[in-house]
Amino acid sequence: MRLSELNTGDVCVVAKILGHGAFRKRVIEMGFVKGRPVRVLQHAPLRDPIKYAIMNYEVSLRAAEANMIEVVKVDDPAQIASLESAGTVEVHDVAESIVRDRHRIVNVALIGNPNCGKTSLYNELSGASEHVGNYSGVTVDAKLRVFHHKGYTFRIVDLPGTYSLTTYSPEELYVRRYLHDNTPDVIVNVVDSTNLERNLYLTTELIDMDRRMVVALNMFDELRRSGARFDYEMLGGMVGVPMVPIVARTGEGVEKLLDTVLEVYNDVQPNVRHIHVNLGADTEAALRRLVDALKGVPGIQRRFSPRYVAIKLLEGDREAENELAGCEGADGIIALRDELRAELSQLHGEDISAQVAGAKYGFIAGALAETMTAPPVDTREVTRRVDNVVTNKILGFPIFFAIMFFIFWATFVLGQYPMDWIESGVDGLSELLNRMMPDGVLKDLIADGIIGGVGGVIVFLPNILILYFCISFMEDSGYMARAAFIMDKVMHRVGLHGKSFIPLVMGFGCNVPAIMATRAIESHSSRLITILINPFMSCSARVPLYVLLVGTFFSAHAALVFSGLYVAGILVAVMTARLLRKLLFRKEETPFVMELPPYRIPTLRSSLLHTWAKGVEYLKKMGGIILVASIVVWALNYFPLSSHDNPAQDSYLESIGKTVQPVMEPIGFSWRGSVAALAGVPAKEIVVSTLGVLYTDDEAVAPAKLGERLRSVNPHTGRPDFSGAEALSFMVFILLYCPCLATVMAIARETGSWRWAAFSIVYNTLLAWLVAFATYRVALLCW
């Protein structure tokens, strides 16, 4: 807890001092060091400031300053008596034992460039299985895990990848605000060892912040194989930050990294010191004037060092201005900043940000010249040769479409074999149940509701796993970034940014993380349009329905129809994007700046871990929302029971279906199809489970598979509920209509407004009806 949270009369022991630089040094000099007992003596009439007793004297701190001191509250009267009556040495021993026993928590933040291996390190440290991809934007939010090492509890946070700590993109702003609002004990700056010059730019910004830090030199095995020589210990001594070589994907060096973090945390690491990256005589003179002015602003030094704030103000950083706004003397500081910017621009004839960046890259180049020998051979030659083929102006698009077609073919054709095995198991279980259980409500619930609903969806697990494995392989290899590269021109003509392509492809897996991944798009309007069209990307939740209906009605052309559904979603997304850009959003141009990482052969372990994680997530849905939905659908379809007076009484579900039937009949839906579509609003997997429940009550075809039940003649209408035309219309409608609830909430969260979520529900559903109507009418003419 924080010292500011204690009440008058409470006794505590100092555990750690948060903050940094001059503020931290000042508080420590006043006696607030780890293991010192403190008593709260008195709060001022307005609760601020607060008077404390420490080291036989009294001192007052503002609540904001006391909030930067973590303490362990002492409640045991015997321990309090020991602390207040024993001699100096004994007091220290008792207090140290209290901190040692009750407060050994280290808060660590992982910060680094996109694609530097932060998430791989996070997985290795915490035993998590977060998705790792060989392109930027995989991590779109902070992830927290807790683990233990040598008696300490580590709370590790994986932050989004960022090239700097400006506010150019949403993920950069997110990291910046996280460091402002939270004070990690140690920052682990993850650096790609094969690209040190670019990666170390972020390191210089963290050095400006004056935070305790360790640099993790990831992918060090690739640096060794290249033949380069790097004296990382010498460089660490030069910049005042310890450096540890690691290979995150294998765990090499991770133990040493954690040990170094503990050394920095306990202030026993000999290489730790604060340096200033020299930005040139003129800039340094301007910074000194700004820093002197900032030191007079109360509270400005608690979160970031005055030098870091001064640099950002000189660069014209909007977030730095917002942090300063409202502080005493802010107007005078901004006026001074404007004067200094004008002077520097006149002296150098270029933007201040360019001056600062040039000076920092000059510092990095000089440091690496002293500590590193370049590899004898260009390590990116293989990547360039592959790019000459896969991004070729003639071969690029055919290769991309061939890859996507292969993924759909593998999902359907290869997935058919394990799907048949699971389906045989489900049918066998159903037959066994029918033989062993007596007739009644319980048997009907289990056989028709649970097995018919959940079993009807679980058979498609292999198809889901194959789809995710293929997408994961594309991402891990580095090809996904190339796909965005070759599609930028197309995206631009649609009215989107080239970076929009990656979230759209991710939508084939799941729309929710795909919508979150749009944070990597700097353009606000492009990001918003990408969010709104992402639900048209056919997510894996729709795959069970496609496999069911395509396999039943179009098995001779399965891969073609399967691909056609995905293409249909893409075409509707393109049309919508152009419409939104023309009617609602002005043209907003941002440069296409995207790292193209070197190709890497994905590890089977990484791809399987990602695939397994998605499989577990799918199975959890089976035992959660889909099980509950299946039981609810079964109950609504089972009750009320027919009576002697009214043997033809409709079930609740049939009544609902027939109520909406006038709206859905023009697009070829039976009342069962209408109910299945309604049931799919919470989650699209429920569509198949609902069909499984609704088509299990026909005894004439009870042993048959669900596809055969769909083709069987409905005794009430004299024709099947589904034919080729109805199946196409149904799939198109499910492809396009309102997003699932999780996606709707993601849209509201990422756009910051429920208005856009409501727009997505209404627009998508109306569009789905119109396209399904056209599809149905054309299909009837063809059939």
Side-chain angles (χ1 to χ4, degrees):
M1 65 187 309
R2 303 297 173 90
L3 182 60
S4 59
E5 298 171 359
L6 298 179
N7 298 315
T8 300
D10 287 346
V11 175
C12 65
V13 175
V14 177
K16 70 175 73 166
I17 308 298
L18 305 176
H20 62 93
F23 166 79
R24 188 169 184 272
K25 187 172 183 291
R26 175 68 171 168
V27 172
I28 290 174
E29 288 171 347
M30 294 176 67
F32 289 89
V33 295
K34 187 171 75 172
R36 285 291 176 180
V38 181
R39 177 180 282 274
V40 185
L41 294 180
Q42 183 181 7
H43 286 73
L46 297 179
R47 298 287 296 175
D48 195 10
I50 310 165
K51 183 165 67 173
Y52 301 98
I54 184 173
M55 296 178 64
N56 296 319
Y57 84 102
E58 297 178 359
V59 62
S60 69
L61 296 175
R62 289 195 180 100
E65 294 161 344
N67 192 54
M68 302 296 289
I69 302 174
E70 281 198 16
V71 299
V72 176
K73 185 180 177 184
V74 183
D75 296 312
D76 186 354
Q79 285 185 327
I80 294 175
S82 298
L83 289 171
E84 296 189 331
S85 63
T88 303
V89 176
E90 290 82 2
V91 166
H92 182 72
D93 291 341
V94 173
E96 278 285 351
S97 68
I98 292 173
V99 175
R100 184 171 58 251
D101 294 341
R102 294 168 54 188
H103 195 93
R104 294 167 69 89
I105 300 174
V106 187
N107 297 302
V108 177
L110 297 182
I111 298 178
N113 284 191
N115 198 44
C116 69
K118 286 185 301 76
T119 304
S120 294
L121 177 59
Y122 175 80
N123 290 343
E124 180 65 30
L125 289 172
S126 63
S129 56
E130 295 296 341
H131 181 206
V132 178
N134 189 15
Y135 65 95
S136 64
V138 177
T139 304
V140 291
D141 208 342
K143 303 181 182 73
L144 170 67
R145 285 291 177 117
V146 178
F147 65 96
H148 304 281
H149 176 73
K150 293 189 175 178
Y152 286 82
T153 298
F154 279 73
R155 292 169 52 85
I156 186 167
V157 175
D158 178 24
L159 294 170
T162 176
Y163 291 106
S164 70
L165 295 174
T166 61
T167 55
Y168 180 68
S169 66
E171 66 267 22
E172 291 172 347
L173 182 59
Y174 185 96
V175 173
R176 172 87 161 269
R177 288 180 174 172
Y178 178 89
L179 292 176
H180 179 272
D181 299 335
N182 303 273
T183 308
D185 299 312
V186 181
I187 291 173
V188 173
N189 176 209
V190 184
V191 168
D192 180 354
S193 298
T194 65
N195 195 358
L196 286 169
E197 191 166 7
R198 210 278 318 287
N199 277 243
L200 288 174
Y201 184 86
L202 176 60
T203 307
T204 64
E205 292 211 303
L206 293 170
I207 289 173
D208 291 335
M209 276 191 174
D210 195 12
R211 296 289 181 92
R212 292 190 290 179
M213 179 168 58
V214 177
V215 171
L217 298 166
N218 194 23
M219 306 178 201
F220 207 76
D221 56 334
E222 295 185 24
L223 182 71
R224 284 194 299 258
R225 283 198 301 269
S226 72
R229 296 292 179 266
F230 178 38
D231 189 344
Y232 59 87
E233 292 182 343
M234 179 179 176
L235 180 60
M238 290 171 61
V239 300
V241 179
M243 297 187 171
V244 182
I246 67 167
V247 183
R249 60 186 177 83
T250 65
E252 178 186 338
V254 170
E255 188 83 8
K256 173 65 175 174
L257 176 65
L258 292 177
D259 292 343
T260 306
V261 168
L262 288 179
E263 290 174 358
V264 172
Y265 174 72
N266 290 314
D267 296 318
V268 295
Q269 226 295 328
N271 280 342
V272 174
R273 62 189 179 92
H274 181 55
I275 68 163
H276 287 171
V277 177
N278 193 295
L279 303 180
D282 297 330
T283 305
E284 288 294 334
L287 282 175
R288 281 193 293 272
R289 293 178 63 186
L290 262 183
V291 168
D292 289 342
L294 287 167
K295 285 181 177 177
V297 179
I300 199 65
Q301 302 181 57
R302 294 194 195 106
R303 303 293 181 180
F304 297 138
S305 72
R307 178 180 173 84
Y308 171 78
V309 178
I311 292 172
K312 288 302 173 187
L313 285 174
L314 271 184
E315 291 178 331
D317 186 89
R318 182 69 62 184
E319 187 70 7
E321 295 177 8
N322 293 339
E323 291 163 3
L324 190 63
C327 295
E328 183 180 342
D331 292 340
I333 292 173
I334 294 298
L336 174 61
R337 187 279 308 270
D338 293 342
E339 176 189 334
L340 294 172
R341 277 175 60 87
E343 291 177 1
L344 289 173
S345 295
Q346 187 173 7
L347 279 172
H348 297 277
E350 65 176 343
D351 179 70
I352 309 301
S353 298
Q355 295 176 38
V356 171
K360 286 189 172 183
Y361 275 119
F363 171 82
I364 294 167
L368 290 177
E370 295 185 39
T371 59
M372 186 174 181
T373 304
V377 180
D378 187 352
T379 55
R380 293 187 66 100
E381 183 60 28
V382 173
T383 290
R384 293 193 183 100
R385 289 179 181 175
V386 175
D387 274 346
N388 287 339
V389 177
V390 300
T391 64
N392 183 277
K393 64 179 180 180
I394 297 175
L395 300 177
F397 285 105
I399 288 174
F400 170 72
F401 290 122
I403 289 173
M404 298 306 295
F405 184 83
F406 171 77
I407 291 175
F408 300 142
W409 175 85
T411 299
F412 187 86
V413 177
L414 298 184
Q416 186 67 42
Y417 299 102
M419 189 185 85
D420 289 342
W421 302 335
I422 298 175
E423 190 169 40
S424 297
V426 172
D427 289 344
L429 178 62
S430 179
E431 291 177 8
L432 179 65
L433 188 70
N434 282 324
R435 288 198 306 267
M436 295 185 62
M437 288 190 69
D439 292 339
V441 175
L442 181 60
K443 176 184 174 180
D444 292 341
L445 168 62
I446 297 175
D448 299 339
I450 297 177
I451 295 179
V454 176
V457 179
I458 201 170
V459 297
F460 302 104
L461 176 62
N463 309 88
I464 302 294
L465 296 181
I466 291 172
L467 177 64
Y468 270 113
F469 182 85
C470 293
I471 292 177
S472 174
F473 194 89
M474 285 177 61
E475 293 170 346
D476 293 352
S477 67
Y479 178 74
M480 192 70 84
R482 272 69 186 184
F485 172 76
I486 65 175
M487 293 296 291
D488 177 64
K489 188 79 170 181
V490 176
M491 292 289 104
H492 184 74
R493 289 186 175 177
V494 172
L496 294 173
H497 194 279
K499 284 187 177 180
S500 299
F501 183 72
I502 289 179
L504 293 178
V505 174
M506 289 177 66
F508 292 148
C510 180
N511 296 142
V512 175
I515 287 172
M516 295 172 67
T518 60
R519 295 176 187 175
I521 303 171
E522 294 87 359
S523 166
H524 174 72
S525 64
S526 289
R527 179 170 181 256
L528 193 52
I529 294 173
T530 307
I531 289 172
L532 293 176
I533 67 173
N534 204 285
F536 295 127
M537 299 299 105
S538 195
C539 69
S540 61
R542 299 173 173 99
V543 169
L545 179 69
Y546 298 164
V547 175
L548 171 65
L549 295 183
V550 171
T552 302
F553 297 99
F554 310 101
S555 58
H557 308 285
L560 187 62
V561 176
F562 208 86
S563 301
L565 288 165
Y566 282 81
V567 171
I570 294 170
L571 291 177
V572 170
V574 167
M575 180 200 71
T576 301
R578 291 182 64 87
L579 193 65
L580 291 173
R581 177 63 76 184
K582 186 175 181 179
L583 299 180
L584 297 181
F585 301 103
R586 64 179 179 84
K587 195 73 173 179
E588 184 177 347
E589 295 288 352
T590 56
F592 180 70
V593 181
M594 182 177 182
E595 179 184 2
L596 295 177
Y599 287 104
R600 293 187 172 96
I601 299 175
T603 63
L604 184 62
R605 176 177 177 270
S606 173
S607 297
L608 289 178
L609 275 176
H610 179 224
T611 304
W612 173 248
K614 294 301 181 182
V616 170
E617 185 179 314
Y618 188 74
L619 290 174
K620 285 180 179 177
K621 276 189 175 181
M622 297 300 102
I625 185 172
I626 292 176
L627 174 61
V628 173
S630 297
I631 293 174
V632 170
V633 168
W634 171 85
L636 291 174
N637 190 48
Y638 194 82
F639 297 104
L641 296 173
S642 300
S643 63
H644 178 73
D645 297 329
N646 192 5
Q649 183 178 12
D650 290 343
S651 67
Y652 296 125
L653 202 60
E654 189 169 354
S655 299
I656 295 171
K658 289 179 177 178
T659 300
V660 299
Q661 189 60 18
V663 177
M664 308 304 284
E665 189 173 8
I667 59 175
F669 283 27
S670 65
W671 72 264
R672 289 183 175 90
S674 301
V675 167
L678 287 174
V681 171
K684 296 299 180 279
E685 295 95 339
I686 299 176
V687 174
V688 171
S689 67
T690 301
L691 291 175
V693 172
L694 293 175
Y695 285 92
T696 55
D697 58 351
D698 189 344
E699 294 182 3
V701 291
K705 298 177 181 179
L706 180 55
E708 294 173 355
R709 298 171 196 155
L710 297 179
R711 288 187 307 199
S712 63
V713 175
N714 186 327
H716 300 291
T717 62
R719 62 182 182 86
D721 286 346
F722 283 90
S723 66
E726 283 84 1
L728 271 180
S729 174
F730 193 77
M731 288 188 289
V732 167
F733 185 83
I734 300 301
L735 163 68
L736 301 176
Y737 83 133
C738 72
C740 68
L741 290 183
T743 301
V744 170
M745 289 188 288
I747 292 172
R749 183 173 61 249
E750 295 301 316
T751 61
S753 172
W754 281 98
R755 179 168 61 97
W756 290 116
F759 170 84
S760 183
I761 293 171
V762 175
Y763 173 81
N764 291 24
T765 304
L766 290 175
L767 185 63
W769 193 94
L770 291 172
V771 177
F773 178 82
T775 301
Y776 182 55
R777 296 301 161 183
V778 171
L780 286 178
L781 293 176
C782 296
W783 264 275

